[in-house]
Amino acid sequence: MKNGLILYRSKYGATRKYAQWLKEATAFDCIETKKADAKTVQGYDTIVLMGGVYAGGIAGLDFLKKNWALVKGKRILLFAVGASPYDEKAITEGMQRTLKGDLAGLPCFYGRGMWDLENMHFGDRALCKMLLKATAKQDPATFEPWQAALAGMKPGETADWTDKAYLEPLLAALC
């Protein structure tokens, strides 16, 4: 593997967990995007940006956009982390909506994260509660995979779906 850097943004810990696992598997340097600056990316051939999926976007993409002039010649891979189960169609559509302009076509991988409604920030918790209510009113036969997973969560239930196996496609792409 080439000289690589893992940049990540994690709100609730799942992305941080994946970043640490990737660091162990690759020996890449690893840093949170909020601690990184333009100089951070210099000297690296490969950059893996890892971030949670929030409201359809990937946390941390703003770092790439802001520093595009410095990273555009490097190998860039993305790893999105979300509470939804893996669904190829949903992920492809989400990436097409999210990765526009310079970011279009970047390879993106997905890992399932965690769910802990009570420990979410107010805005995230309010949005999830709204989605839970809307999903409860819908016919289960019409659910998208993320809605079925959401409907399956019981009040107060927490879940950790993180799994090193989600990193395997990313690791294969890095070789």
Side-chain angles (χ1 to χ4, degrees), residues 87-151:
D87 178 61
E88 183 72 33
K89 179 181 177 232
I91 291 168
T92 300
E93 290 173 358
M95 292 308 99
Q96 287 173 344
R97 282 191 308 272
T98 302
L99 302 177
K100 299 199 181 278
D102 292 328
L103 304 179
L106 289 178
C108 189
F109 303 87
Y110 182 82
R112 196 161 185 205
M114 300 178 191
W115 174 267
D116 187 352
L117 189 64
E118 298 309 313
N119 285 316
M120 289 181 189
H121 299 295
F122 175 78
D124 293 338
R125 186 172 51 248
L127 176 62
C128 287
K129 285 183 177 182
M130 181 182 74
L131 289 171
L132 280 164
K133 286 181 184 179
T135 300
K137 295 176 185 176
Q138 192 173 334
D139 177 4
T142 66
F143 283 173
E144 294 288 330
W146 69 268
Q147 292 170 309
L150 188 63

Side-chain angles (χ1 to χ4, degrees), residues 16 32 51 62 84:
R16 181 180 307 107
E32 290 181 85
D62 54 332
S84 297

